[in-house]
């Protein structure tokens, strides 16, 4: 490749050498979009327009010989590229995003992941505007073209699919470090960002070095080039991208310091840096044969980053966060119009399949394989996978085959997880026999019909169950693998009726259906030695109360919160043996999403009201305890250690409960807002105030704006807390925010902060008058004209269409049709919305 970079007129010369892999007569069919073809040469001879066929999407050159060379020159305009795929401008720099199908917007090429090529890339550009010219691999030559222009040539020794190609040009600052691999090679590490922001990259750098060490220790995987670069950019459709040797990141996943980043920002940065780094082996060295295999690299890499985060932080808390993500995003996705197996059978637009199912559920499938094989055989399976497939483009079957070879376990029935969608429900019954002293659990799985198969074969999965006696003493733990529709697990030598701790750590991505007494749940909350299941018990206890409360509210007969429930929570708040982050999770009631999920007709209003009713009752009953904890935790020093994060987490949860105990506490929240020394405390207080619109809210919002208006990333938080507000005026405020200088509809982070968060604000998005639907539809129509990926992503907000009450359904339908009726709607948005109405 020979690329002359320019903001509006970039010239791309591609010289390809192609070898024919078939005896048959064949044409060369190259993908290419959004560019102007300037010339084509075949074996050095310029072709005339009659010699090839050019369409909006393809360049077809007939009669491929055994071996030919093609020289293709085209022109692209990075400034006009608002889709942010291919080569585009982000603020002052030029960068690229090619996964999955962006490379075809750069040049004409066979844009599919199983075409692995060796890339040599010469970048030429203006010296002042683009002092930095980066691509994959190692720089092999640099020099001046003339007094104003220079060039750098990069060579990537590893053949790669074009989706891993990257280019960056600009005038950026950087930080550098080195890493010595286990075998003693020294690797230069560089992180690039806007000048002046360099010092905010050190957390990302330290996360990178930890990831490199971890991958060597756990999997024996070393980095393979002499240089590893990360570039932070402002405008990016997703989180980040694993381009070989040159990762490109959404700046939100790089920049951090205590004043400006929250604890979750710190943790997300650690996880995303690790995720992209881990792709160097799982994704880059071994890649996907086609995009149906996306979970091959994504499910596996998410599993790897989850394990990394668990080793760096508190394992149980990580697992709880993953389970929450699964329940709040993946389960609803799978129950909605976009339901698909982790290895989809078909797609209109592959960009729409970078989903919670492919990523998060994909990781759950790998986790189950890990549970079934055990740690050692899993590691052996990974070794076999790389021995066999390094440098190749393979399938999920190939991965599973490596695991079979390593473990001797047959994954035949397990593989249904790859091809069947739907969240199984596992109904459980218990049977204690006092004479035989046996305890039996019978499990029955059912999965709702989904489009890809009418007849579901039973799934295979591990069931991990613990038993406690009624005093909380641990009795046993057992792992079975269930592969039939029904399964029985039997424990012997059980002297009295026990309490089961089911699907420990959610050993399979299923809905566990079992009725526990409140009493048993209280025992589990206190004594289960598995902290994830202490959390699960707390969630179930809350559900035992929330579900009847919702029904009561629907019938207009509100019920009181029983004393024993409040007592149990009181004990939990006081229990010093529970880690503070775990305590915060245990005391957070199940999300509104998880409350409406099982409903035939979703009723957000009642779910929100029921939750609020119970929260207020907990708050008023335990206000003195919450206050005590706030005092106790307010004095703690700041660090980003897990302990320190846990303290802030619990303190801020206590403050949020206090805000529900009465408006008299809003002054206290405001005091905490003003006293905050870090972004976690500051934004948490602001967000609490936004749920209680008051003069304190306005003062804090104003103050926050004055303080941070020049920092784009922080202003996204300011936008988000307002879009998420319970205030009656929220939609109006959102409309106002659109014209705030901090907002920019061309920037995906800002669209997510304003429109994405609003779409998740159930009370307002699902407003009875349909105003939320109409508003979002208008935004989607507009955004679709320049950034289809983001428009399609926002369109998934309509996923509850089929389950709405009739009046809302009619309103939502109108909104969806207004989008579908638009001429030239992208196939991204069209696919999502057509499936929504179907
Ligand atoms: N491979 C990237 C990651 O997992 C995500 C790229 C997504 N790109 C897209 N256009 N959907 O980090
Ligand atoms: Zn990934």
């Amino acid at each position: 490749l020979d690329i002359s970079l320019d903001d509006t007129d970039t010239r791309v010369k591609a010289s390809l050498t192609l070898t024919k892999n078939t005896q048959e007569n064949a044409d060369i069919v190259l993908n290419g979009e959004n560019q102007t073809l300037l010339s084509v040469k075949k074996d050095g001879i310029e072709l005339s327009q009659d010699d090839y066929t050019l369409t909006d999407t393809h360049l077809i050159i007939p009669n491929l010989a055994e071996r030919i060379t093609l020289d293709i020159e085209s022109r692209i305009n990075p400034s006009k590229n608002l889709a942010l795929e291919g080569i585009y401008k982000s603020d002052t720099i030029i960068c690229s995003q090619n996964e999955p199908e962006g490379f075809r917007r750069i040049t004409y090429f066979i844009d599919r992941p199983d075409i692995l090529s060796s890339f040599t890339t010469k970048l030429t550009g203006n010296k002042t505007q683009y002092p930095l010219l980066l691509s994959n691999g190692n720089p092999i030559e640099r020099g001046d073209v003339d007094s104003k222009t220079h060039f750098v040539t990069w060579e990537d020794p590893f053949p790669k699919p074009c989706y891993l190609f990257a280019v960056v040009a600009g005038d950026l600052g950087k930080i550098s470090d080195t890493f010595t691999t286990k075998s003693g090679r020294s690797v230069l590490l560089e992180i690039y960002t806007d000048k002046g922001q360099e010092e905010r990259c050190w957390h990302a750098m330290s996360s990178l070095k930890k990831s490199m060490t971890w991958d060597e220790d756990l999997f024996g995987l070393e980095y393979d080039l002499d240089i590893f670069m990360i570039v932070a950019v402002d405008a990016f459709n997703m989180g980040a991208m694993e381009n070989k040797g040159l990762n490109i990141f959404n700046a939100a996943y790089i920049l951090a310091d205590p004043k400006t980043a929250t604890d979750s920002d710190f943790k997300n940065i650690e996880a995303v840096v690790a995720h992209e780094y881990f792709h160097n082996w799982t994704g880059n060295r071994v890649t996907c044969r086609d995009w149906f295999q996306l979970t091959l690299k994504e499910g596996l890499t998410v599993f790897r980053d989850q394990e990394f985060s668990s080793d760096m932080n508190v394992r149980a808390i990580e697992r709880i966060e993953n389970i929450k993500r699964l329940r709040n995003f993946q389960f609803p996705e799978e129950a909605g119009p976009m339901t698909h197996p982790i290895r989809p059978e078909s797609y209109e637009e592959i960009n729409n399949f970078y989903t919670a199912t492919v990523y998060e559920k994909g990781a759950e499938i790998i986790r189950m394989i890990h549970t079934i094989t055990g740690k050692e055989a899993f590691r052996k399976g990974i070794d076999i996978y790389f021995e066999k497939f390094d440098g190749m483009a393979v399938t999920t079957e190939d991965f599973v085959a490596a695991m079979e070879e390593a473990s001797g376990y047959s994954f035949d029935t397990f593989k249904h997880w790859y091809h069947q969608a739907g969240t199984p429900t596992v109904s459980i019954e218990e049977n204690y026999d006092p004479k035989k002293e046996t305890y039996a659990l019978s499990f029955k799985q059912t999965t709702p019909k989904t489009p890809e198969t009418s007849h579901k074969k039973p799934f295979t999965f591990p069931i991990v169950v613990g038993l406690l006696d009624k005093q909380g003493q641990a009795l046993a733990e057992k792992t079975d693998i269930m592969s039939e529709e029904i399964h029985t697990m039997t424990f012997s030598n059980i002297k009295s009726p026990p309490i089961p701790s089911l699907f420990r750590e959610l050993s399979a991505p299923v809905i566990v259906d079992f009725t526990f007494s409140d009493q048993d749940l209280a025992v589990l909350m206190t004594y289960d030695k598995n902290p994830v299941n202490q959390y699960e018990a707390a969630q179930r206890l809350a559900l035992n109360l929330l579900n009847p409360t919702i029904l009561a509210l629907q019938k207009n007969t509100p019920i009181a919160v029983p004393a024993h429930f409040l007592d149990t929570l009181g004990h939990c708040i006081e229990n010093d043996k529970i880690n503070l982050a775990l305590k915060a999770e245990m005391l957070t009631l199940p999300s509104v999403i998880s409350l409406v999920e099982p409903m035939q007709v979703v009723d957000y209003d009642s779910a929100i009201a029921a939750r609020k009713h119970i929260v207020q009752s907990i708050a008023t009953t335990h206000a003195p305890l919450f206050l005590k904890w706030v005092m106790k935790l307010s004095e703690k020093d700041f660090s980003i250690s897990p302990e320190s994060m846990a303290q802030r987490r619990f303190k801020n949860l206590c403050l949020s409960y206090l805000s529900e105990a009465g408006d008299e506490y809003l002054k206290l929240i405001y005091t905490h807002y003003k006293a905050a020394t870090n972004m976690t405390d500051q934004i948490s207080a602001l967000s609490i105030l936004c749920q209680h619109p008051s003069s304190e809210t306005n003062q804090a919002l104003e103050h926050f704006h004055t303080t941070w208006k020049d920092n784009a990333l922080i202003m996204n938080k300011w936008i988000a807390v307002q879009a998420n507000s319970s205030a009656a005026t929220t939609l109006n405020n959102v409309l106002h925010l659109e014209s705030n200088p901090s907002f920019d509809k061309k920037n995906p982070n800002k669209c997510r902060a304003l429109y994405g968060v609003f779409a998740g604000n159930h009370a307002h998005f699902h407003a009875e008058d349909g105003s939320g639907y109409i508003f979002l539809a208008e935004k989607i129509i507009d955004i679709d004209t320049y950034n289809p990926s983001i428009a399609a992503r926002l369109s998934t907000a309509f996923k509850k269409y089929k389950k709405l009450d009739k009046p809302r359904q009619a309103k939502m339908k109108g909104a969806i049709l207004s989008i579908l009726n638009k001429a030239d709607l992208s196939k991204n948005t069209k696919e999502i919305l057509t499936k929504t109405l179907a």
Side-chain angles (χ1 to χ4, degrees):
L1 286 166
D2 180 347
I3 306 180
S4 294
L5 293 154
D6 181 85
D7 280 7
T8 55
D9 184 3
T10 286
R11 302 292 172 116
V12 182
K13 290 186 202 160
S15 303
L16 315 176
T17 307
L18 299 100
T19 311
K20 188 173 163 182
N21 281 339
T22 169
Q23 297 306 311
E24 283 154 46
N25 276 339
D27 300 338
I28 311 169
V29 182
L30 303 176
N31 305 94
E33 290 169 10
N34 292 72
Q35 61 195 289
T36 311
L37 180 63
L38 299 177
S39 74
V40 190
K41 282 183 196 157
K42 184 167 143 185
D43 295 324
I45 298 158
E46 172 119 25
L47 301 184
S48 80
Q49 282 179 21
D50 306 333
D51 300 329
Y52 56 80
T53 308
L54 183 65
T55 73
D56 279 351
T57 53
H58 290 92
L59 169 62
I60 302 162
I61 301 164
N63 300 329
L64 174 58
E66 272 321 298
R67 187 180 168 83
I68 64 157
T69 62
L70 287 178
D71 290 280
I72 302 170
E73 186 175 0
S74 54
R75 179 168 65 208
I76 53 178
N77 183 346
S79 297
K80 281 253 165 70
N81 183 353
L82 301 176
L84 315 185
E85 290 170 358
I87 291 180
Y88 65 92
K89 259 207 110 181
S90 166
D91 196 18
T92 59
I93 70 172
I94 284 181
C95 63
S96 64
Q97 170 58 34
N98 294 324
E99 183 183 0
E101 297 179 332
F103 195 75
R104 62 188 62 183
R105 291 165 159 262
I106 298 179
T107 182
Y108 290 90
F109 196 74
I110 309 175
D111 187 358
R112 32 187 279 180
D114 62 339
I115 304 292
L116 308 185
S117 333
S118 302
F119 282 74
T120 305
T121 307
K122 180 178 177 185
L123 300 176
T124 308
N126 181 285
K127 283 191 203 174
T128 25
Q129 203 180 359
Y130 301 121
L132 204 68
L133 298 167
L134 308 177
S135 190
N136 321 81
N138 305 307
I140 52 167
E141 200 190 346
R142 61 177 79 230
D144 283 355
V145 177
D146 54 43
S147 62
K148 290 204 185 104
T149 321
H150 69 152
F151 76 93
V152 182
T153 304
W154 293 80
E155 192 175 66
D156 185 351
F158 294 95
K160 64 172 177 289
C162 62
Y163 81 85
L164 291 173
F165 172 77
V167 42
V168 172
D171 186 8
L172 294 169
K174 75 164 172 199
I175 62 165
S176 329
D177 205 339
T178 57
F179 180 85
T180 307
T181 68
K182 217 158 62 175
S183 66
R185 277 185 326 100
S186 172
V187 180
L188 176 61
L189 310 175
E190 297 184 324
I191 303 182
Y192 291 89
T193 183
D194 287 339
K195 287 189 170 148
Q197 302 293 317
E198 294 90 336
E199 294 309 308
R200 301 176 66 210
C201 297
W202 287 108
H203 176 66
M205 182 64 90
S206 107
S207 303
L208 173 61
K209 294 174 83 173
K210 286 181 195 165
S211 314
M212 296 177 89
T213 304
W214 187 89
D215 218 11
E216 291 183 347
D217 291 349
L218 260 283
F219 293 110
L221 299 171
E222 273 187 39
Y223 187 62
D224 52 10
L225 287 165
D226 301 333
I227 176 168
F228 185 82
M229 297 171 283
I230 294 178
V231 181
V233 305
D234 295 329
F236 201 74
N237 276 347
M238 310 280 292
M241 181 62 212
E242 68 263 24
N243 316 300
K244 185 80 188 184
L246 177 55
N247 286 188
I248 296 181
F249 269 63
N250 187 326
Y253 294 109
I254 291 294
L255 301 176
D257 58 52
K259 283 253 173 308
T260 63
T262 62
D263 293 342
S264 0
D265 291 333
F266 277 104
K267 291 192 58 186
N268 287 336
I269 290 168
E270 182 179 74
V272 179
V273 167
H275 179 97
E276 306 310 332
Y277 174 73
F278 295 155
H279 267 316
N280 190 53
W281 280 94
T282 49
N284 300 4
R285 289 289 288 255
V286 179
T287 192
C288 301
R289 187 190 68 183
D290 51 67
W291 291 121
F292 296 108
Q293 319 300 325
L294 184 57
T295 200
L296 171 77
K297 73 177 178 81
E298 294 305 344
L300 179 54
T301 305
V302 171
F303 171 74
R304 276 149 58 64
D305 84 53
Q306 290 178 351
E307 284 300 292
F308 167 74
S309 292
S310 301
D311 286 344
M312 298 299 124
N313 303 285
V314 179
R315 181 164 282 271
I317 300 302
E318 296 303 309
R319 186 60 190 145
I320 290 168
E321 280 168 5
N322 296 335
I323 292 172
K324 280 165 66 176
R325 225 190 336 263
L326 199 67
R327 288 188 182 137
N328 286 331
F329 300 102
Q330 201 275 325
F331 285 9
E333 180 173 278
E334 199 148 51
M338 270 296 284
T339 178
H340 55 278
I342 62 165
R343 188 213 169 288
E345 296 296 325
S346 66
Y347 58 77
E348 294 284 332
E349 169 55 61
I350 184 57
N351 255 308
N352 288 337
F353 285 79
Y354 286 73
T355 57
T357 298
V358 166
Y359 276 65
E360 275 22 267
K361 186 176 182 183
E364 293 298 316
I365 305 311
I366 304 294
R367 183 171 298 283
M368 287 193 286
I369 294 178
H370 185 265
T371 308
I372 291 170
T373 60
K375 203 172 161 171
E376 261 118 69
F378 187 86
R379 166 64 206 268
K380 199 168 139 206
I382 292 283
D383 290 348
I384 293 172
Y385 179 63
F386 288 117
E387 270 156 36
K388 285 200 165 158
F389 304 119
D390 187 13
M392 293 167 67
V394 306
T395 65
T396 56
E397 293 278 327
D398 293 323
F399 178 81
V400 177
M403 287 294 159
E404 286 196 326
E405 193 180 325
S407 65
Y409 180 86
S410 165
F411 282 96
D412 263 3
T413 58
F414 182 86
K415 281 191 242 171
H416 301 330
W417 286 109
Y418 283 91
H419 304 283
Q420 296 184 154
T423 312
T425 293
V426 180
S427 310
I428 305 169
E429 274 167 31
E430 61 179 349
N431 190 355
Y432 178 68
D433 185 334
K435 271 204 221 98
K436 293 190 194 137
E437 298 189 338
T438 57
Y439 179 73
L441 288 167
S442 51
F443 300 84
K444 183 177 194 303
Q445 57 168 309
T446 47
T447 307
K449 274 206 188 82
T450 46
E452 86 294 339
T453 41
S454 47
H455 182 70
K456 288 252 153 81
K457 300 187 197 93
F459 289 99
T460 294
F461 48 87
I463 306 175
V464 182
V465 174
L467 292 188
L468 287 73
D469 70 17
K470 299 275 178 189
Q471 285 69 49
Q473 202 65 8
L475 298 176
E477 186 182 88
K478 199 169 178 157
T479 303
D480 270 10
I481 295 173
M482 169 159 181
S483 57
E484 309 284 335
E485 208 178 307
I486 53 175
H487 180 87
T488 311
M489 186 185 241
T490 314
F491 294 85
S492 46
N493 237 332
I494 306 295
K495 309 282 178 217
S496 60
I499 307 171
S501 167
L502 299 168
F503 281 85
R504 277 192 164 155
E505 290 174 28
L506 196 65
S507 57
V510 301
I511 296 165
V512 182
D513 173 21
F514 181 77
T515 313
F516 283 94
S517 69
D518 287 0
Q519 220 172 357
D520 286 358
L521 289 170
V523 174
L524 288 169
M525 280 173 66
T526 316
Y527 298 108
D528 197 335
K529 66 179 171 58
N530 188 301
V532 177
N533 274 40
Q534 286 183 285
Y535 159 80
E536 295 280 43
Q539 296 294 294
R540 281 181 178 280
L541 182 75
L543 284 173
N544 276 356
L545 179 58
L546 274 158
N547 287 328
T549 306
I550 292 172
L551 290 179
L553 282 172
Q554 286 168 338
K555 294 192 194 111
N556 245 325
T557 52
I559 51 174
V561 176
H564 77 268
F565 174 83
L566 295 166
D567 282 350
T568 307
L569 292 204
H571 291 311
C572 181
I573 301 170
E574 300 247 65
N575 188 340
D576 281 328
K577 292 206 189 86
I578 303 177
N579 164 299
L580 290 177
L582 176 60
K583 211 185 269 195
E585 295 292 1
M586 290 176 74
L587 291 166
T588 303
L589 299 187
S591 66
V592 172
I593 293 179
S594 67
L595 291 176
V596 302
E597 208 42 39
M599 297 179 183
Q600 285 309 316
V601 175
V602 293
D603 180 355
Y604 287 98
D605 294 337
S606 302
I608 293 168
R611 205 173 176 280
K612 181 104 179 160
H613 173 62
I614 297 172
V615 163
Q616 284 176 337
S617 161
I618 299 170
T620 38
T621 310
H622 294 305
L625 283 181
F626 290 128
L627 210 50
K628 192 180 87 188
W629 275 101
V630 168
M631 299 306 172
K632 190 162 156 187
L633 295 171
S634 292
E635 302 304 315
K636 305 283 182 189
D637 286 338
F638 180 91
S639 92
I640 56 162
S641 69
E643 301 75 50
S644 184
M645 285 190 186
Q647 289 163 354
R648 283 187 289 283
R649 183 83 186 279
F650 190 60
K651 178 187 69 185
N652 288 321
L653 181 84
C654 292
L655 283 169
S656 130
Y657 267 113
L658 285 171
S659 74
E660 300 287 347
D663 283 352
E664 65 268 29
Y665 287 100
L666 295 182
K667 289 221 161 38
L668 175 77
I669 311 291
Y670 185 69
T671 316
H672 275 265
Y673 168 80
K674 288 293 282 240
T677 59
N678 58 78
M679 186 48 70
T680 303
D681 288 343
Q682 196 178 20
I683 200 71
S684 165
L686 187 65
S687 137
I688 294 171
L689 288 173
C690 282
Q691 297 311 322
H692 301 274
S694 56
S695 62
E696 284 84 0
T697 312
N698 297 336
Q699 281 177 59
L701 280 171
E702 175 99 36
H703 171 267
F704 193 96
H705 182 263
T706 315
T707 317
W708 298 116
K709 62 179 179 311
D710 297 327
N711 184 316
L713 285 178
I714 303 181
M715 287 316 281
N716 293 344
K717 301 183 196 298
W718 181 78
I719 291 171
V721 290
Q722 294 180 76
N724 195 37
S725 166
S726 64
T729 51
T730 293
L731 180 53
N732 254 318
N733 296 345
V734 167
L735 289 164
H736 263 104
L737 285 168
E738 289 188 289
S739 48
N740 189 291
S742 293
F743 184 73
D744 170 9
K745 67 177 188 175
K746 307 284 167 60
N747 181 302
N749 287 350
K750 304 213 170 279
C751 289
R752 279 185 283 263
L754 189 59
Y755 307 136
V757 171
F758 176 78
N761 185 338
H762 312 295
H764 291 291
F765 178 59
H766 294 286
E768 229 175 335
D769 61 2
S771 53
Y773 306 149
I774 295 170
F775 171 73
L776 193 71
E778 280 168 5
K779 296 305 131 191
I780 291 170
I781 290 172
D782 179 33
I783 295 170
D784 190 72
T785 60
Y786 58 88
N787 190 333
S789 304
I790 299 298
R793 191 61 54 152
L794 288 172
S795 302
T796 62
F798 294 115
K799 64 176 164 293
K800 280 282 172 275
Y801 170 69
K802 285 272 159 67
K803 288 188 152 191
L804 292 175
D805 54 70
K806 292 279 171 256
R808 280 188 177 83
Q809 194 169 59
K811 296 205 160 81
M812 189 182 272
K813 184 174 189 173
I816 293 174
L817 285 175
S818 75
I819 307 172
L820 282 172
N821 287 337
K822 199 199 119 208
D824 298 327
L825 192 68
S826 70
K827 68 174 176 173
N828 309 51
T829 302
K830 194 187 239 157
E831 176 176 32
I832 305 272
L833 293 179
T834 313
K835 286 178 174 170
T836 304
L837 290 186

